[in-house]
Each structure stands twice: as C-alpha cells, then as structure tokens.
Amino acid sequence: MNLSVDLNDIKEAQKVLKDVIRKTPLSFAQSEALRQKKIYLKQENFQLTGSFKIRGALNRLSRLSESEKRKGVVAASAGNHAQGVAYSAKKYGISSHIVMPVSAPLIKVERTKSMGAKVTLAGAYFDQAYQRATEIGKEEGRVFIHPYQDPLVIAGQGTIGLEILADLPDVQNVIVPIGGGGLIGGIASALKLSAPHIKIYGVVTEQTPGMMELKKGLELSQRSAISTIADGIAVKNPSKEMFKNFIDPFVDDIVTVSEEDIAQAIVHLLEYEKSVVEGSGAAGLAAILNGKLSDKIDGQGSTCVLLCGGNIDLNTVSSVIDTGLRKQGRLTRISTIVDDLPGLLADVTSVFAKSRANILDVHHDRVSSELKVRETRIDFLLETVNSEHVKALQEELEQKGVRVLREDEK
Ligand SMILES: Cc1ncc(COP(=O)(O)O)c(C=O)c1O
C-alpha cells in the first residue's frame, strides 16, 4: 500500500471533518516554568470522543463505497480508535465491530459500546487484539479500518498539523507521542510539507521504545510484559512501513519517558491547566517537564505540545496522582529507626511540624527481625513541598541522631 500523504490529502480531510469535529484550543501554558520555555498546548483531549482519533476514522469511513458500507467495519484498538470508528460508523449508519485488549480501560470499552459498536475483548496487548480483528474481518466480511497504517487515517490526523500552523504560525517545534505513528506521521506531513524548518519530536514510553530504537539504529528490544498508564501508545512492534514513510524522513528525534514522568505530567495538567489528560496524551509534556528535549527546544522559539487524549479511568486517576505527587516530592514516605524511649517520637514529629510537613499516616513496628532490642521503626507518610524540603527534613532528623532509611533499605 502506498502510504504517502500530501498536503492536498490533508486539506481534503479537513473538509470532511469541518462540520463534525470540534475546533480544539491551542493555548499558551499556564505554569511559569512552561511559559519561560514558550510552551503551547494543543488540547485534543477536548476533542469529540475524547481524543484525536475521530479525525482519521471519520476521514477513512467517509470514503467507503456503498458496498463496503453495507459490509460493515472492524477495527482493533487500545480504545481511542475504537471510539473514533464507533462514532463515525454510527454517523454513516454502518455496523461496527471493535476488538480491544482485555486490559483496555473500562471507560474506553463502555463508551465504545455506548456508540453502538459490538466490542470483543481479546489478547493482553494491542498487537494480539489486532490479530483477532483481522480474523474477524475475514470471518464476517467486514472492512478492516487500520488505526494508523492507512493514508486516509494519517491524512485525518494530519489536520491537527494545519490547525497548529493556523493558530501558531511561528511555531518552531512540535512534540507528538508515538504509538503506531499515524498521528505523528500526519502532523509531520502537514508541517514539513508546509514549513520544512519546523522540528518534529516524537515521544515513546520506556516500555515500548520500538520507534526510538529504529530511529537511532538500535537493535529492537524484546519485551514480554508491558504495564503502562499510556495504553494508547503501547505498541510493542513498530511498523517498518510507518518508519520508512514518516518517522525516518520527517521526525527529527524521538525520546523516551517513564511511567513516573507521565504521572507527573498528568498531575501538572490537572493542577495548572485544569485539564484531564490520559497517559498517552500527557507523554509529550512528560518529556518537557523532565528535560528530555531541553537541548533541542530551549531558546529555539515556540513549542507546541500535543495533548492527544483525555480518556482516563477516574478510578485510576487517584493512584496516578499519588505517583505524580511522589515524583514531585509532594507525597513522601520517610522511614526511621529510633530508640524506643519516651519523648523520641515527639522529637521526630516536632521536626515535621516545624517545617510544616503534614503527617498523613504513621506506622510503628517494634517486632521486625531487622530491629535491635529497644529499637522502633516508624514510617511516616507526609505531605511535603518538594524534593528539597524532603532532603532538609532527612538531614535534620539525622542531626538529631535518628536513623533515616535509604530507598533501598525501606
Ligand atoms: C491518546 C493517544 N495518543 C497518542 C496515540 C498514538 O497515535 P498513533 O498510534 O497514531 O501513533 C494514541 C493512539 O491510540 C492515543 O490514543
């Protein structure tokens, strides 16, 4: 299949989408740290269906022939393409069958069903769901709607590039998370074909680094199990076709982020932008907050970071917030060993009180085998200001003769 996409394809897609999708905001970031770096956010988390995926899906389904429409469609998706396809199929009166991995967030499964699609859960990861969807396509005679390796899907995602350019004409850098590569492929095509000086940077997770490895000419790492909050970009096997057509020619560099980096970005977006963004959607900002692109973008003009989706289960948000706060040094566990003498606990807590660290939880242990006679282990869960605050607390405790356990001793 010829995958290449030109500007005209993307402009045609724009006409198809115009009266259906939302025009999402592109705004200057709120936090001072990001403002100094001239960071702008393109908020596709506010898009219809909760992510950009409707753009590619609607464009693809709009071009089905009448006989293809009667056959119906099948798709494999971690959850956002599912909703894009289900929404578009409903709009055009087409039957849809979607296969999602069993690990897909509940919110994505439920929303897809509520848009009238039949949902089958199969396989632990996207790659296995994909396999099952191609089988269903053959069994049921449905048209397979690829989530990224399809020029009409890529052209649909590319419309984001045109919007970025229209809203921020002097943009110098654009940062886009990569799963299969359709999103960055479309955006990079739109931008490099209109304004080749714009730099495009991709972001993958440490657990699914395939495209980064291809880009840097490294051997592809083999991973059996993945557990990530960025389910939308958790594609284990990068497509060589997508690499050859888009990533290699158009993407300037690719960096990786950790789960903690992503959690921190989600917390940042909740706190400063008042925005709910899912793990994959926050990966671009995670790279910025952790300095992964500083050498490329600092002092190099305006940078647009794509927030590509907002479909996160609310019941996972609280644990993500805890991880994000821990990463920022705002939720801290300090474990101490003290002599079991009257007044010592008060001494320790007075250190916390004096510097306004709020104690959320305390746990005493007098019986562990690691303890000597008359020693007590006390674990504190604290609300703190940042990592410097935590360090200062630990030093003050040590000055008072309290043994503070290191991370690896906890
Ligand atoms: C929120 C979100 N961001 C990014 C991506 C990556 O898109 P692509 O697979 O086209 O690279 C996805 C894919 O599902 C997604 O859902």
Side-chain angles (χ1 to χ4, degrees), residues 132-146:
R132 182 69 196 118
T134 52
E135 289 161 12
I136 290 176
K138 288 188 194 120
E139 286 159 22
E140 299 182 2
R142 292 172 180 269
V143 180
F144 183 73
I145 308 295
H146 200 288

Side-chain angles (χ1 to χ4, degrees), residues 50-53 77-81 108 147-148 153 157 176-185 231-235 242 278-282 306-311:
S51 89
F52 70 94
K53 280 281 183 180
S77 166
N80 284 336
H81 177 59
K108 293 182 176 172
Y148 49 85
V153 171
Q157 327 300 30
V176 186
I178 304 180
L183 176 62
I184 199 166
D231 53 289
I233 53 173
V235 176
M242 294 299 289
E278 63 183 282
S280 311
L306 185 64
L307 307 179
C308 16
N311 292 321

Side-chain angles (χ1 to χ4, degrees), residues 370-398:
E370 65 192 280
L371 299 169
K372 300 194 193 106
V373 181
R374 293 194 70 79
E375 266 186 353
T376 302
R377 172 177 169 150
I378 315 174
D379 294 323
F380 297 91
L381 182 63
L382 302 167
E383 258 173 7
T384 41
V385 179
N386 52 30
S387 359
E388 284 77 51
H389 187 196
V390 178
K391 203 158 158 251
L393 287 172
Q394 286 169 335
E395 281 169 7
E396 199 172 338
L397 288 173
E398 278 165 354

Side-chain angles (χ1 to χ4, degrees), residues 120-165:
T120 296
L121 297 179
Y125 306 113
F126 168 77
D127 309 60
Q128 292 145 337
Y130 177 94
Q131 188 55 38
R132 182 69 196 118
T134 52
E135 289 161 12
I136 290 176
K138 288 188 194 120
E139 286 159 22
E140 299 182 2
R142 292 172 180 269
V143 180
F144 183 73
I145 308 295
H146 200 288
Y148 49 85
Q149 196 158 305
D150 179 315
L152 287 167
V153 171
I154 297 165
Q157 327 300 30
T159 57
I160 299 173
L162 298 184
E163 289 174 24
I164 292 174
L165 209 51

Side-chain angles (χ1 to χ4, degrees), residues 1-14 55-61 63 144-159 181-183 185-187 189-190 241-242 245-246:
M1 183 190 273
N2 175 14
L3 278 179
S4 71
V5 167
D6 64 26
L7 264 185
N8 198 43
D9 299 327
I10 302 173
K11 286 183 182 154
E12 284 301 312
Q14 212 171 24
R55 295 174 183 257
L58 195 77
N59 193 39
R60 174 71 175 86
L61 265 64
R63 307 298 171 93
F144 183 73
I145 308 295
H146 200 288
Y148 49 85
Q149 196 158 305
D150 179 315
L152 287 167
V153 171
I154 297 165
Q157 327 300 30
T159 57
L183 176 62
I187 294 177
S189 302
E241 282 297 298
M242 294 299 289
N245 284 281
F246 301 100

Side-chain angles (χ1 to χ4, degrees), residues 119-366:
V119 173
T120 296
L121 297 179
Y125 306 113
F126 168 77
D127 309 60
Q128 292 145 337
Y130 177 94
Q131 188 55 38
R132 182 69 196 118
T134 52
E135 289 161 12
I136 290 176
K138 288 188 194 120
E139 286 159 22
E140 299 182 2
R142 292 172 180 269
V143 180
F144 183 73
I145 308 295
H146 200 288
Y148 49 85
Q149 196 158 305
D150 179 315
L152 287 167
V153 171
I154 297 165
Q157 327 300 30
T159 57
I160 299 173
L162 298 184
E163 289 174 24
I164 292 174
L165 209 51
D167 287 349
L168 192 64
D170 72 346
V171 64
Q172 296 295 318
N173 314 292
V174 177
I175 299 174
V176 186
I178 304 180
L183 176 62
I184 199 166
I187 294 177
S189 302
L191 294 174
K192 292 279 187 186
L193 297 175
S194 317
H197 67 277
I198 297 176
K199 301 273 189 228
I200 312 286
Y201 299 111
V203 182
V204 292
T205 76
E206 283 174 356
Q207 298 192 42
T208 50
M211 277 299 182
M212 180 275 294
E213 291 169 335
L214 286 181
K215 183 80 191 162
K216 295 192 190 298
L218 303 172
E219 201 176 313
L220 286 181
S221 49
Q222 301 299 327
R223 278 152 213 266
S224 43
I226 312 172
S227 167
T228 173
I229 46 170
D231 53 289
I233 53 173
V235 176
K236 278 211 293 186
N237 302 313
S239 152
K240 301 234 162 69
E241 282 297 298
M242 294 299 289
F243 177 74
K244 192 177 78 196
N245 284 281
F246 301 100
I247 310 291
D248 191 28
F250 292 146
V251 176
D252 293 279
D253 201 1
I254 302 180
V255 295
T256 57
V257 288
S258 70
E259 295 301 299
E260 281 197 336
D261 297 340
I262 295 174
Q264 177 196 15
I266 293 176
V267 170
H268 183 101
L269 288 161
L270 285 169
E271 201 161 31
Y272 287 95
E273 303 298 332
K274 319 297 170 202
S275 282
V276 177
V277 179
E278 63 183 282
S280 311
L285 187 66
I288 305 262
L289 290 175
N290 287 282
K292 302 280 170 87
L293 285 162
S294 294
D295 56 330
K296 310 265 175 355
I297 64 165
D298 287 0
Q300 300 300 320
S302 310
T303 296
C304 178
V305 181
L306 185 64
L307 307 179
C308 16
N311 292 321
I312 184 167
D313 267 336
L314 283 187
N315 44 15
T316 63
V317 168
S318 63
S319 69
V320 169
I321 290 178
D322 284 355
T323 310
L325 290 177
R326 266 204 314 274
K327 161 102 190 172
Q328 293 176 354
R330 292 166 58 187
L331 190 64
T332 307
R333 194 171 292 285
I334 291 188
S335 299
T336 59
I337 295 194
V338 294
D339 289 337
D340 192 9
L341 295 172
L344 259 173
L345 177 59
D347 273 1
V348 174
T349 55
S350 73
V351 171
F352 299 146
K354 222 170 56 201
S355 82
R356 303 189 60 77
N358 189 27
I359 301 174
L360 298 176
D361 193 20
V362 185
H363 181 256
H364 282 249
D365 177 2
R366 288 192 179 81

